[in-house]
Amino acid sequence: MERFPSRRSDAAGLAHRSAPAGLPRRTSNATAEPATAIAYRIRPADPHAHLFEIELRIAHPDPAGQQLALPAWIPGSYMIREFARHVVSISADSGGRELRVRKLDKHSWQVRRCDGPLTVRYRVYAWDLSVRAAHLDASHGFFNGTSVFLRVLGQERQPCDVLIEPPEGPAYAGWQVATTLPEAGAPRHGFGRYRAADYDELIDHPVEMGRFTLASFEAGGAVHEIAITGRHDTDVDRLRRDLAQVCREQIKLFEPRSQRAPVKRYLFQVMAVGDGYGGLEHRASTALICGRNDLPYRGMREAPDGYRTFLGLASHEYFHTWNVKRIKPQAFADYDLRQENYTELLWVFEGFTSYYDDLMLVRAGVITRDEYLKALASTVSGVLRGPGRALQSVAESSFDAWIKYYRQDENSPNAIVSYYTKGSLVALCLDLTLRAQSGGKASLDDVMRLMWQRYGREFFTQRRGLGEDEFPALLREATGIALDAQIKRWAYGSGDLPLAKLLAGTGVALTMKPAESGNASLGARVQTREQQLVIATAYQGQAAQRAGLSAGDTLLAVDGLRVDERTLKTLLARRRAGDKLRIHAFRRDELIECELTLDAAPATEATLKIEGRLNAGKRRLLDDWLGKEKPKPSFSRTGAARPRPDPAPA
Ligand code: ZN
């Protein structure tokens, strides 16, 4: 099944390459002996059945019986996923003698003791079209090492070879490989042998295979590649140009003098699908999934709203190359892949990254100041809509990410706050405070640079991370300004942030108005599901909950008239706070009738606008913060910004 038609021609710097027909799909060294004591061979054994087959050779297995395990989670995505559940078969032998493989727990196996080299063969089911796991069909293959490479217990620090082979058959002629795993004989973008310095590196370079569109650009002395898989009609040149600007802006932030990228080679792996959104950061690459219509097309004048979303996602994951892949919390210096790894600092690593992702777009000039402020306003609104922000701090949200942020349910808006969105506003408040108190001489950029110099640059040799309580002192050291009390309130407390005051100091006016068209509110978030109007969340203490309605209830009629999303909106516009409504609803199959007293609609919708007349001081602060206004953005757009979902959970 052929799935990747390409209408692109080769342009400068753009290489859509297909191997000529008849090219041997195995490279000459493919069958040569591996040079390492641990060697994997991975092959898409049956694309239609979504099965990868892996052979693992261990030259010096544990004489007491080798233990093997798959990670319970993938770094960057803080949820226990138990990848071992997709292992469908496993066997082992030594010198042709079959050895018993015993399951120890849900993640681990033990192979019966043997004297000589050990070979383990297993199959992994790969049918998760996300950036977190593995996916295989006749159109392409994608895997993270956490899904397919068994960890050899006790030998995690050993270098390992990986022989990546193509699927058998003429249907797969011309398949290529896109990964930043270091080549050990494989040609660039080819099947063959790759090598990782240790298991930690092995699982940090996902692999894409198939026929994809390739483009490249240079930034900070490093080759940056974009590999787009899936049906799409992207204006690759435009994408390349915009991403190059964003990458250069970030490199300039961390390395203003040398302007050197943190890696020699970087890869954006883009999976274009009908509807999808997500990204996962790695040390030299990122896996992104996006709607194909969010990518730019040729001749596009006004970018679709989704394109800013895509650029923001790419910017976010690229920023992680510094912040979380190299500057890490100490708790992540050596991941424990068997269980949750707790830190209160995800607001620094995800929140700050979320702050800088869009900020880098405006500083790079790929979005305008108005577009940036619209996006920021939508983040402010999103945070203010959730009553849970009064119960949970971003530090607590970080710690409990495993059981709360990543496992949201109907009550989440009442119970939790996002360390992404509120974390990004904490970053904004810190940044604006530093700029105001120093008269523009210090900023959060200085803090990022000090963290980079202290922890990031040498992370892979020193493995030192930011301690749980070190951040306030580090900020002081970087800027000469003490914000310990503010950090305590903003990141470890659950009060609202002084956004309006801080923004005003930089010449930006924040105004708030109610979300709904009228002044009355049901106190619930409603959704249309299977043509029925359903309460998605009944907000804590608000009208719907007081009336006895719950998440999951189906609204049938208000004041005796059938309701849908449109008629409910119209009705609310004609009512006032304090008015009573007679509601008919179903809870499961039981009819409920209740009286609901409308609330005043809370003013949660933020608008941000640069003040009309700025004095010289404010103008300078604004220019320092957002970058000098660019004469011509690379695209212009109209309309409101679409709120961008957090990159991680689905
Ligand atoms: Zn992130």
Side-chain angles (χ1 to χ4, degrees):
M1 206 159 50
E2 254 337 293
R3 285 189 174 267
F4 301 106
S6 172
R7 289 180 270 109
R8 276 160 295 278
S9 59
D10 282 8
L14 162 64
H16 178 78
R17 301 189 203 109
S18 285
L23 190 84
R25 282 188 308 281
R26 285 189 189 190
T27 53
S28 55
N29 70 323
T31 48
E33 283 302 303
T36 53
I38 295 177
Y40 301 84
R41 174 174 168 239
I42 181 161
R43 182 171 84 83
D46 190 342
H48 296 306
H50 322 301
L51 289 172
F52 281 107
E53 187 174 82
I54 301 102
E55 187 183 281
L56 163 59
R57 283 205 276 167
I58 307 162
H60 311 292
D62 184 342
Q66 183 62 54
Q67 291 190 13
L68 305 160
L70 267 189
W73 61 285
I74 179 166
S77 184
Y78 307 109
M79 184 168 151
I80 297 297
R81 297 186 189 274
E82 298 161 335
F83 296 112
R85 70 200 170 99
H86 296 303
V87 174
V88 296
S89 64
I90 185 165
S91 65
D93 72 77
S94 179
R97 189 167 62 93
E98 198 173 323
L99 298 170
R100 182 168 169 237
V101 183
R102 191 162 60 92
K103 201 80 199 273
L104 293 177
D105 60 30
K106 60 187 174 178
H107 312 295
S108 325
W109 293 259
Q110 176 148 10
V111 184
R112 194 196 162 114
R113 50 195 297 177
C114 61
D115 301 328
L118 171 66
T119 303
V120 183
R121 291 183 187 83
Y122 54 102
R123 287 187 160 207
V124 174
Y125 179 67
W127 193 234
D128 178 352
L129 189 58
S130 79
V131 296
R132 304 177 293 253
H135 188 257
L136 172 67
D137 66 10
S139 71
H140 88 129
F142 172 81
F143 63 80
N144 283 288
T146 37
S147 282
V148 296
F149 296 133
L150 283 170
R151 185 161 59 91
V152 180
L153 270 67
Q155 301 193 39
E156 291 89 341
R157 298 280 192 223
Q158 292 290 323
C160 40
D161 269 7
V162 182
L163 178 61
I164 305 175
E165 297 189 340
E168 296 283 344
Y172 307 102
W175 271 35
Q176 291 184 288
V177 175
T179 181
T180 45
L181 257 179
E183 291 119 2
R188 180 58 50 94
H189 306 130
F191 289 93
R193 203 174 294 285
Y194 293 80
R195 185 167 305 152
D198 54 22
Y199 188 77
D200 184 48
E201 177 172 27
L202 177 68
I203 60 168
D204 209 5
H205 298 281
V207 174
E208 171 68 39
M209 57 177 78
R211 291 184 196 87
F212 36 76
T213 306
L214 274 172
S216 66
F217 59 87
E218 185 277 339
V223 181
H224 290 64
E225 292 183 320
I226 310 165
I228 311 173
T229 311
R231 298 182 191 192
H232 68 97
D233 59 357
T234 311
D235 177 351
V236 183
D237 227 37
R238 164 76 173 273
L239 181 61
R240 193 158 63 88
R241 217 168 48 230
D242 289 344
L243 279 182
Q245 278 178 270
V246 175
C247 293
R248 285 181 195 129
E249 196 64 39
Q250 298 196 12
I251 293 165
K252 205 166 74 185
L253 173 88
F254 284 100
E255 293 284 2
R257 276 204 286 192
S258 74
Q259 308 226 353
R260 301 298 292 176
V263 289
K264 288 200 180 76
R265 182 181 168 220
Y266 189 87
L267 171 66
F268 291 93
Q269 285 170 330
V270 184
M271 276 186 269
V273 296
D275 186 26
Y277 178 85
L280 194 58
E281 67 276 9
H282 300 284
R283 67 180 64 180
S285 63
T286 177
L288 306 172
I289 190 161
C290 69
R292 62 176 61 88
N293 293 329
D294 287 350
L295 294 166
Y297 57 90
R298 268 199 284 185
M300 183 179 83
R301 294 208 173 162
E302 286 200 343
D305 192 35
Y307 185 44
R308 189 202 63 79
T309 303
F310 175 80
L311 286 175
L313 176 66
S315 175
H316 181 97
E317 305 304 344
Y318 191 70
F319 198 85
H320 274 317
T321 315
W322 293 269
N323 197 33
V324 96
K325 293 315 302 188
R326 287 171 178 78
I327 309 165
K328 292 184 189 232
Q330 182 59 37
F332 289 174
D334 274 303
Y335 297 119
D336 182 346
L337 296 165
R338 296 166 305 176
Q339 59 197 0
E340 294 86 348
N341 289 200
Y342 297 105
T343 174
E344 284 188 332
L345 292 174
L346 291 182
W347 60 276
V348 172
F349 293 93
E350 288 299 349
F352 285 23
T353 301
S354 296
Y355 171 58
Y356 276 105
D357 57 23
D358 282 346
L359 186 60
M360 292 291 103
L361 299 188
V362 66
R363 282 196 198 158
V366 299
I367 63 170
T368 64
R369 284 181 171 185
D370 279 352
E371 286 165 339
Y372 173 70
L373 293 177
K374 269 184 199 152
L376 183 57
S378 105
T379 303
V380 173
S381 306
V383 170
L384 290 178
R385 256 178 244 135
R389 73 185 194 283
L391 291 181
Q392 199 188 40
S393 69
V394 288
E396 289 165 336
S397 178
S398 299
F399 193 88
D400 271 342
W402 304 85
I403 55 164
K404 293 194 173 181
Y405 189 75
Y406 267 85
R407 291 171 64 181
Q408 295 192 26
D409 60 24
E410 70 289 338
N411 196 48
S412 295
N414 288 328
I416 70 170
V417 72
S418 161
Y419 52 80
Y420 282 91
T421 50
K422 191 181 173 191
S424 78
L425 298 182
V426 171
L428 170 71
C429 288
L430 293 173
D431 197 12
L432 295 182
T433 306
L434 291 171
R435 289 173 188 278
Q437 289 197 11
S438 67
K441 288 194 178 65
S443 73
L444 197 61
D445 299 358
D446 299 306
V447 182
M448 296 313 301
R449 278 190 283 271
L450 181 61
M451 287 204 286
W452 169 239
Q453 289 154 15
R454 176 135 326 148
Y455 305 105
R457 266 193 199 140
E458 300 302 326
F459 175 77
F460 289 111
T461 48
Q462 295 179 352
R463 297 212 166 251
R464 200 156 75 88
L466 179 68
E468 290 290 299
D469 301 321
E470 276 177 25
F471 184 75
L474 189 122
L475 181 142
R476 239 182 291 136
E477 184 185 339
T479 62
I481 295 172
L483 296 183
D484 300 39
Q486 287 89 335
I487 292 167
K488 196 170 170 207
R489 268 201 313 278
W490 300 343
Y492 296 86
S494 52
D496 280 336
L497 303 168
L499 289 164
K501 185 168 159 260
L502 290 171
L503 285 160
T506 321
V508 177
L510 167 67
T511 49
M512 304 297 304
K513 64 174 177 33
E516 287 153 51
S517 47
N519 294 315
S521 163
L522 216 53
R525 193 165 56 87
V526 294
Q527 274 177 354
T528 303
R529 294 180 196 160
E530 293 168 358
Q531 294 171 356
Q532 294 193 308
L533 190 61
V534 178
I535 296 183
T537 295
Y539 290 122
Q540 181 63 38
Q542 297 186 20
Q545 196 188 66
R546 289 196 315 269
L549 294 167
S550 281
D553 291 351
T554 303
L555 295 178
L556 302 170
V558 175
D559 288 343
L561 296 171
R562 189 166 61 198
V563 279
D564 56 24
E565 235 168 305
R566 189 180 56 83
T567 54
L568 179 67
K569 206 170 173 184
T570 309
L571 183 126
L572 286 174
R574 300 167 76 95
R575 295 289 187 276
R576 291 168 181 282
D579 286 358
K580 295 185 190 323
L581 305 179
R582 195 158 47 90
I583 308 262
H584 284 87
F586 271 129
R587 176 166 304 167
R588 300 180 299 276
D589 63 345
E590 297 170 17
L591 186 67
I592 304 174
E593 189 179 348
C594 61
E595 188 183 73
L596 180 149
T597 306
L598 287 171
D599 286 329
T604 51
E605 298 313 289
T607 310
L608 293 173
K609 253 197 153 51
I610 296 174
E611 290 164 13
R613 279 194 207 137
L614 291 180
N615 62 35
K618 282 186 180 180
R619 184 172 301 281
R620 209 186 56 242
L621 283 177
L622 196 66
D623 284 350
D624 283 349
W625 175 39
L626 300 182
K628 283 251 185 328
E629 197 147 30
K630 307 292 182 295
K632 235 188 182 180
S634 70
F635 62 82
S636 62
R637 263 190 322 110
T638 53
R642 188 171 79 180
R644 184 154 60 84
D646 299 337

